[in-house]
């Protein structure tokens, strides 16, 4: 499970995920500068760190690198949720609490996701009465 992204790493990855194409340090820098004062070398270091951590791959283009996301924001979010759930001492209670925090719209998405997963990989039916049980000898 990947470590959660830091604030600046998240800001950089958000752009890469949104743009969904290879990006340069300069492109990310110019977009980030609309929100904050930041140096080229800082963005370059963050992208290098993201590359070292396996979040992005890079290819040389001329004298610069182009960076591409290795996975999606959805996959990142799912990994974080799975890790948090796996660390719970009571996974069922954690899920109930999590579902309780959801908005009605989020619950619709949850139901849709459950239907998709069940359609693609249906759970086995529970055993019929008396089936799968062994009688004591």
């Amino acid at each position: 499970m990947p470590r959660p992204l830091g604030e600046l790493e998240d800001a950089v990855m958000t752009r890469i995920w949104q743009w969904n194409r290879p990006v340069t340090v300069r492109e990310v820098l110019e977009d980030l500068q609309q929100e904050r004062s930041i140096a080229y070398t800082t963005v370059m270091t963050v992208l290098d760190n993201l590359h070292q951590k396996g979040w992005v791959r890079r290819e040389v283009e001329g004298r610069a690198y182009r960076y591409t996301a290795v996975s999606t924001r959805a996959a990142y979010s799912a990994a974080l949720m799975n890790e948090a759930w796996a660390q719970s001492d009571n996974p069922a209670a954690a899920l109930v609490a999590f579902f309780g925090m959801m908005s009605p719209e989020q619950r619709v998405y949850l139901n849709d996701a459950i239907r998709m997963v069940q359609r693609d990989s249906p759970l086995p039916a529970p055993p019929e009465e008396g089936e799968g049980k062994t009688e004591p000898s």
Side-chain angles (χ1 to χ4, degrees):
M1 167 32 216
R3 254 186 34 222
L5 296 171
E7 182 210 345
L8 190 51
E9 289 174 328
D10 186 68
V12 170
M13 285 305 301
T14 294
R15 282 151 179 84
I16 295 171
W17 282 320
Q18 285 174 342
W19 296 340
N20 196 29
R21 62 174 172 75
V23 301
T24 64
V25 173
R26 176 77 50 205
E27 290 173 306
V28 175
L29 171 71
E30 289 172 359
D31 199 61
L32 283 171
Q33 285 179 330
Q34 295 176 29
E35 299 172 1
R36 64 178 90 189
S37 176
I38 190 165
Y40 181 92
T41 53
T42 301
V43 176
M44 184 174 63
T45 299
V46 168
L47 279 162
D48 185 60
N49 290 343
L50 289 167
H51 176 255
Q52 297 299 322
K53 292 176 181 181
W55 284 105
V56 296
R57 73 177 141 261
R58 64 185 180 195
E59 294 183 21
V60 176
E61 184 176 287
R63 294 178 45 209
Y65 286 115
R66 284 213 173 260
Y67 295 87
T68 308
V70 170
S71 68
T72 64
R73 162 112 31 216
Y76 168 67
S77 297
L80 291 178
M81 289 187 290
N82 188 55
E83 179 68 15
W85 184 54
Q87 291 181 11
S88 173
D89 61 346
N90 187 340
L95 282 175
V96 169
F98 179 62
F99 297 157
M101 294 177 194
M102 290 180 158
S103 69
E105 182 183 30
Q106 289 171 320
R107 287 188 185 138
V108 169
Y109 293 139
L110 174 64
N111 286 326
D112 290 347
I114 290 169
R115 277 193 293 278
M116 282 189 277
V117 169
Q118 287 176 335
R119 182 192 67 219
D120 293 343
S121 177
L123 295 173
E128 293 291 323
E129 188 66 32
E131 208 178 284
K133 295 181 183 175
T134 57
E135 295 295 321
S137 336

